Amino acid sequence: MKRTPFQIQKAVWLALILRELKTRFGGRLIGLFWVLLEPLFHIAVMLGIRVALRDRYVGVMIEPAVYLVVAMIPFFACRNMWLQGMSAVEANGGLLAYRQVKPLDAMVSRWGMEAILYAFIFLLLSLGFAWWGYRYFPHKPLEYLGIWSLFMLWGCALSLISAVVGHRRPGIKFFIRAASMPLYLMSGVLIPLSSFPHFMYEYLLWNPFLHLVELCRVHYFATYIAHRGINVQYPLCLGLGLLFVGAVLYHVNRVRLLSKTT
């Protein structure tokens, strides 16, 4: 029986996701545990440092563990979608010889895997918070889920642009990976916005991730008050604009992405 285009597309995505799972986990169960525990370990170290240096609560009765996790996990999901998707085309170069497999399919499979992985990690941490008696459910769940979606949008947009710009250019990809760390530090995930020098405030607001991080906490905690200038319109409009630019760049360069040269 002849398959429809949608069935073919679904089969391609499923095959790519299974291949990514095997590559990431090494075909062994220990690989699965390591991928799940690596971000958890990173979060635990950061929480330990923050709890050691600060009081038990941040702001008005906000637990520091929850304060960090509610913004850290969506940021990590976005960052991994961005960086993993950037390298997806070259990592799956051998499969692109098949007519049914397009460069975008390789990126979509990685986006989906990273989003599911970090959603699962967030669920595990939420269950842990419930066990410890911490806050484990957002004050405004739909709004909080909407900010998660904006993080995903940014991950896809930056991934598309970086995949085209950095195709067969290791130097550019190294620079992009290096730039993600200061972006992380300046987004207010670890360091609250109020801890930065006052003269930096207006400049920090140019960072769209700072808005998303603050909005995560605003919608999760009923007692959290956003800083002046934080809004959802700025990251939403800029993210949609970058997604459009990324889609256009991909469409124009989709044939070049299949080549093994720059």
Side-chain angles (χ1 to χ4, degrees), residues 174-185:
F174 176 80
F175 174 78
I176 291 174
R177 292 182 183 278
S180 67
M181 180 53 68
L183 185 64
Y184 170 51
L185 297 175

Side-chain angles (χ1 to χ4, degrees), residues 198-251:
H198 182 71
F199 71 89
M200 295 180 60
Y201 185 83
E202 298 299 330
Y203 300 101
L204 290 172
L205 287 177
W206 285 94
N207 181 359
F209 290 108
L210 180 65
H211 293 256
L212 295 178
V213 165
E214 283 290 296
L215 289 170
C216 274
R217 290 165 178 156
V218 167
H219 296 315
Y220 199 94
F221 303 106
T223 57
Y224 193 86
I225 300 175
H227 290 78
R228 175 178 53 85
I230 297 297
N231 63 84
V232 71
Q233 290 83 6
Y234 173 60
L236 174 61
C237 295
L238 186 58
L240 289 173
L242 287 178
L243 184 63
F244 176 76
V245 171
V248 171
L249 285 175
Y250 171 81
H251 181 75

Side-chain angles (χ1 to χ4, degrees), residues 39-50:
L40 294 177
F41 176 76
H42 179 81
I43 292 168
V45 171
M46 295 302 178
L47 291 178
I49 294 174
R50 189 172 185 88

